Amino acid sequence: YFGIPCQVVYESLVSQIKKWRTMAGCTMGGQRCLYKLQSASVHFIAAKHTTPFKRYVDDINFRLVSYHFFTCCHVSAMSLSETWYAIKDHGTNYCNLYNLMEG
């Protein structure tokens, strides 16, 4: 739950996804690169993340729901690897979401 409107959350997430679309954020390691916006509305954001070294692709979805007279936002999110055998990925799907929220 965020004590800010969904429009602000939406703009921040979309901006961060676009900012990290190239390899520039991963030159020193990490996963803050290769995000690609698939679709976006104030209620739903879909993106993909490609891991920089093994090139695995993860599907990322954010759902934004306004409450308290549109002054607050409830966000639910999911990141899922397209590769079925990526079970020992050291929490990459969690990191996809965390990095975007924290970024």
Side-chain angles (χ1 to χ4, degrees):
Y1 294 93
F2 292 92
I4 55 177
C6 284
Q7 182 68 33
V8 175
V9 176
Y10 160 79
E11 290 170 0
S12 297
L13 284 169
V14 168
S15 174
Q16 196 62 58
I17 291 166
K18 289 178 178 179
K19 181 179 176 183
W20 287 344
R21 71 182 182 278
T22 67
M23 267 299 286
C26 292
T27 55
M28 302 297 287
Q31 297 283 324
R32 294 177 178 197
C33 61
L34 301 178
Y35 284 86
K36 183 179 180 186
L37 187 66
Q38 299 294 306
S39 64
S41 73
V42 73
H43 302 291
F44 187 80
I45 299 168
K48 290 191 182 279
H49 175 248
T50 303
T51 60
F53 302 106
K54 296 202 177 202
R55 300 294 181 182
Y56 295 142
V57 178
D58 306 320
D59 297 319
I60 300 169
N61 294 300
F62 288 93
R63 183 172 171 251
L64 292 72
V65 178
S66 295
Y67 70 99
H68 202 264
F69 302 105
F70 298 95
T71 61
C72 299
C73 190
H74 176 263
V75 178
S76 55
M78 180 173 63
S79 177
L80 186 66
S81 296
E82 289 183 359
T83 308
W84 66 269
Y85 53 85
I87 56 173
K88 293 186 177 182
D89 64 359
H90 306 288
T92 296
N93 286 299
Y94 171 82
C95 291
N96 288 339
L97 302 175
Y98 179 84
N99 287 341
L100 286 172
M101 297 301 291
E102 192 260 341

